[in-house]
Every structure is written in structure tokens, then in C-alpha cells.
Amino acid sequence: MTARSARNSVPGRWIEDWDPENEEYWERTGRRVARRNLTLSVLSEHIGFSVWSLWSVLVLFLSPDIGFHFSPGEKFLLVIVPTLVGALLRLPYSAAVARFGGRNWTVFASAVLLMPTSLTAIFVQRPGTPLWAFLLIGATAGVGGANFASSMTNITAFYPRRHQGWALGLNAGGGNLGVALVQLLGLLVIATVGDTHPAYVVGFYLPLIALVSVLAALRMDNVATVRTEPGAQREALADPHTWWISLLYVGTFGSFIGYGFAFGLVLQTEFGSTPLQAASVTFLGPLLGSVARPLGGKAADRWGGARVTLASFAGLALGTATLLAASATSSYPLFVAAFTFLFVLSGIGNGSTYKLIPTVFARQAEDAVTSGRDAAEAFARARRLSGAVIGIAGAVGALGGVAINASFRASYSGPHGTIAPALYTFLAFYAVCSAVTWTVYLRHERRAADLTPLSVRREPGRVR
């Protein structure tokens, strides 16, 4: 790719000769183009996550004071539905980038967010609106969660492998911050005008959605290397690493989004917190977890995705055990601190688990080249499969959020329900994820390191 071709790319057109692995080109012009697209991708994904998370805040407002009489189980259902729809839409969203282009799809994925926000603003303060109507409206908010898959697939193509851990972590972390921002906004509304005006939270996003849609149309690019051949997802589904990584992502991202949606409701159910008390602490965990995500990607660039992922699962198990102790002793400060710790560890694990994707397929490409296959073909396949697996893992991982909220709902069912059954379930799953990380990935990394000369292992930016 020439500097001119990058500079002269215009809306609706494709950059045909993008080559971020060329270090000379990358330093001269590629970095600038990639950063511009990354910035707008983060903004779009950020607002998508905020819209996806709206109902985790709105359920705090749905009280008899404004004409709603929903049980805790019904409120958990209101946060489960958007999570499920967002997870199911991630596969088609990821494939859409390859078909329509990253810039083109970002414009659509941003503009379509006007639908759930407008519907929510109209009905959320209509007393007597039935549960089924809110469930349908909440389902439309799932499109915000699907933005993640298309955004990550697009950004993967813009960055060279040596920077993908950081870039993907920053992209996803900036998007994840949308969970914290919408909760901060809910806190601001409750603290200033009370807990009877949920429409104020929704209305904040309408002009932002329009602005980001216009900016994406004017400033983003389509990249030809994002185009995948027909059947790329089918090819990825046949690779066992797709499923191992998806399982790990259920444990990391599923924890982040599941806890993010459930935190406020858990505090209300476990400790009887008021909307203001719940909103005043629920934003902190998603905020720190979002900041931790790019750090997890950066750490994985340096020490390997498997090592960092295993450490994150150990931390998640420790945090869950602490939650059990806090619940048993009715310690509110310890409970909030442990929950916040879980967000941080899930954020780190999100970044390191996603780093495994390009690393695993790049290693397959290197092995293929060693066996005599054409290098260009082998690494093109690696990029193609990486993009497909990002979409698949993102979809499967988001289902973990559904499982977490369903577990909380089941644990609290009945007059004497407690949080303990859900927490023991999470502990068992983190143990399974730790075993998979060690068996499938960390042992392989260590064998590869043992066979690699020390001087090469110390080479900066080398994918291990």
C-alpha cells in the first residue's frame, strides 16, 4: 500500500492494498490510518454497550413510585433478554463487516441504535406498561451488544499482529466503558432529580448516536483484507481452538457483562439497597474492568495470552470465594469490594483471551510455512480465521452473561433464596476454565519457549 492510497481513501471506497505487517509502511502512514479508524470504532462500540446496558440501570427506576410492580425475578428477566439478543446477533454482525465493509457497517450499526433508545424513551415512563412490552423493547437493545463483534473484526485487520493485543484491548475496553458510563448517568439522574425520571437516562444518547453515525460515515475506511471468503465461519467452526477460546471467553467476558447487568439488582436483593445506594457503587466495577481490558491485552503481548488468562481465572475464583464469605457475614463493604475485584480480573482476562486468537492462528500459519506452504496464503488464512473466531467467541462469550443472570434469578427464586448456589456454580466453572487454559495453551507456550533460543525469546514484540 502506498501513502497516497491511504491518504486518498474516501467514504464508501475500499483500501485495496493495506499491509500493516510491512514495518516501513506502518511507521510511515499505516499507524495514522489505523488510529483514526480505531478512535471512531471505540466511540461507536462505546455507545453500543451503553444502549445494551440501559436496562441494567432502568430496572432500578421501575418501582411502584412510577406505577410499576415488577418482582426481582421479572427484573432479572429484563436484563437477561438484551444480553441474549446481543449474543445471538454477534455472529451476523461479524460476518457483515466482511460483506459490507467496516466503515459501511459501523455507520449502520451506530444509526440503528436510534430504534431501541427511541422506543425506550417513549414507554419507560408510561405507568402500567406490561412486562411483555418491556421485554420486546429490551430485545431491540441487543443490537448495541452486537456492535462489539463487528468492531473487533474490523480493527483486527487494521493492526499488525505485534500490536493486536493492545489495539483489540483498547477497542474493547473503550466499548466496555459504556457499561460504566450508563450507570454513572443513572446515578447522576437519581442524585439530582430522583428515581422517577428514567427517560432522562435514555434521552442523553439520542444526539450522541446521530453524531457518531455521521463521523463514521465521514472519517472511517473499508479495508479489503477484512473481506472473507464464503465459508470462513464454517472453517473456523471446524477448528477446535474456536471452541476452547469461546469457552474461556464465556468465563471472562461472560463474567464482565453478566456482573455488570446484575450488580445493582443483586445489591437491592441481597442488602435491600435503595436505587441511589445501588447506583452509587455499581459503576465502579465496570469502569475498572474496562480500563483493565487493554492492560490485559498489553500484558498478553508481553507474557503470553495463556499465562495472563490463567492468572485472571485464579483471581476470579478468589473473588467469588470472597463474595461467599461476604454474603455469609452480611458484610456490605466486603461484598462491594469483592464484586469490584471480579470486574478487574474479568477485564484483564478479556484482553488476554482475545490475544490468544491471532496468536494461535499465526502459530498455525508459521507451522504451515515450515511445512512448505506458501507464506502469503498461510497468513491470509490466519487473518481470515482470526476475524471469524472473533465473531464466534464474542457471541458465545456473551451467552455467559445470560447464564450469570439466569443463575442469580434461580438462586433468588423463592422466599428464602440466597446468592450462594450461583456463586458455587461460578467457582466450578472458573476451575474448568483454568484447567483448559493450562492444558490446551499454557503447556504449549512453555514447550515452544523451551525450544526457542533465549535471544529470540527476548525479541521485542515477538508473538509467542
Side-chain angles (χ1 to χ4, degrees):
M1 176 177 178
T2 65
R4 179 176 178 177
S5 64
R7 189 167 54 245
N8 291 343
S9 60
V10 296
R13 296 187 57 181
W14 295 77
I15 301 176
E16 296 289 346
D17 48 354
W18 180 257
D19 184 15
E21 301 295 346
N22 183 321
E23 292 190 19
E24 180 183 355
Y25 159 70
W26 174 253
E27 295 299 330
R28 187 174 68 249
T29 56
R31 186 191 302 272
R32 174 178 52 81
V33 175
R35 282 179 174 173
R36 170 163 49 79
N37 282 272
L38 175 62
T39 299
L40 292 170
S41 177
V42 168
L43 289 174
S44 174
E45 189 184 338
H46 176 91
I47 293 177
F49 263 88
S50 293
V51 172
W52 195 27
S53 308
L54 268 175
W55 285 94
S56 70
V57 175
L58 296 179
V59 291
L60 302 179
F61 290 84
L62 298 181
S63 67
D65 293 340
I66 58 173
F68 299 106
H69 301 270
F70 297 135
S71 69
E74 289 171 328
K75 289 183 178 181
F76 273 113
L77 194 59
L78 282 170
V79 299
I80 289 172
V81 168
T83 315
L84 176 61
V85 173
L88 296 178
L89 287 178
R90 284 186 167 192
L91 277 179
Y93 263 58
S94 179
V97 172
R99 181 174 179 83
F100 300 107
R103 171 259 179 194
N104 297 343
W105 190 255
T106 302
V107 173
F108 168 81
S110 299
V112 78
L113 296 174
L114 291 169
M115 175 180 61
T117 47
S118 299
L119 288 173
T120 304
I122 292 170
F123 287 96
V124 76
Q125 286 196 195
R126 288 190 178 184
T129 300
L131 178 66
W132 65 264
F134 279 142
L135 291 174
L136 288 177
I137 295 169
T140 66
V143 298
N147 274 14
F148 172 86
S150 54
S151 178
M152 295 290 275
T153 300
N154 187 40
I155 291 304
T156 299
F158 275 100
Y159 279 83
R161 283 184 292 137
R162 63 187 181 278
H163 295 309
Q164 281 180 353
W166 170 250
L168 292 176
L170 190 63
N171 187 56
N176 293 170
L177 277 171
V179 181
L181 180 65
V182 74
Q183 292 175 348
L184 271 171
L185 185 60
L187 172 62
L188 178 64
V189 170
I190 293 172
T192 54
V193 299
D195 58 2
T196 58
H197 299 282
Y200 289 2
V201 180
V202 186
F204 175 80
Y205 286 98
L206 292 171
L208 291 181
I209 292 168
L211 176 62
V212 170
S213 301
V214 171
L215 288 175
L218 295 176
R219 298 294 295 162
M220 290 189 75
D221 301 293
N222 298 310
V223 177
T225 54
V226 179
R227 288 172 172 153
T228 58
E229 298 175 4
Q233 285 190 342
R234 288 196 299 272
E235 186 178 359
L237 289 172
D239 193 300
H241 287 293
T242 300
W243 299 108
W244 292 126
I245 290 172
S246 294
L247 176 70
L248 300 183
Y249 204 56
V250 168
T252 56
F253 180 75
S255 295
F256 175 86
I257 201 64
Y259 294 149
F261 281 28
F263 196 5
L265 277 176
V266 168
L267 290 178
Q268 286 189 323
T269 308
E270 188 78 12
F271 294 96
S273 299
T274 66
L276 179 58
Q277 289 170 334
S280 64
V281 296
T282 53
F283 74 90
L284 184 60
L287 175 63
L288 295 177
S290 301
V291 172
R293 179 155 190 161
L295 298 180
K298 190 75 169 178
D301 283 339
R302 181 173 179 82
W303 292 298
R307 188 175 289 108
V308 177
T309 300
L310 182 61
S312 73
F313 281 123
L316 286 167
L318 175 62
T320 305
T322 306
L323 276 182
L324 280 166
S327 176
T329 59
S330 298
S331 174
Y332 182 83
L334 182 60
F335 193 90
V336 171
F339 230 120
T340 303
F341 180 72
L342 288 175
F343 279 106
V344 174
L345 269 295
S346 66
I348 291 172
N350 286 339
S352 61
T353 301
Y354 250 51
K355 173 61 179 178
L356 284 173
I357 297 173
T359 301
V360 164
F361 291 105
R363 185 181 293 127
Q364 288 183 356
E366 291 167 357
D367 292 344
V369 172
T370 302
S371 302
R373 286 187 57 183
D374 178 72
E377 178 185 339
F379 282 101
R381 176 184 180 274
R383 281 189 171 274
R384 183 173 69 249
L385 291 187
S386 292
V389 173
I390 280 173
I392 296 168
V396 176
L399 291 173
V402 178
I404 280 180
N405 281 280
S407 297
F408 282 137
R409 184 172 185 262
S411 287
Y412 284 124
S413 63
H416 304 292
T418 70
I419 197 175
L423 296 181
Y424 281 119
T425 301
F426 304 156
L427 267 177
F429 187 71
Y430 294 146
V432 171
C433 290
S434 297
V436 169
T437 305
W438 168 260
T439 304
V440 180
Y441 294 109
L442 189 55
R443 286 198 304 176
H444 182 87
E445 279 191 359
R446 289 190 169 184
R447 285 199 303 270
D450 290 341
L451 295 172
T452 304
L454 183 61
S455 59
V456 175
R457 268 183 267 161
R458 289 178 175 171
E459 180 185 333
R462 179 177 175 83
V463 175
R464 293 181 295 171

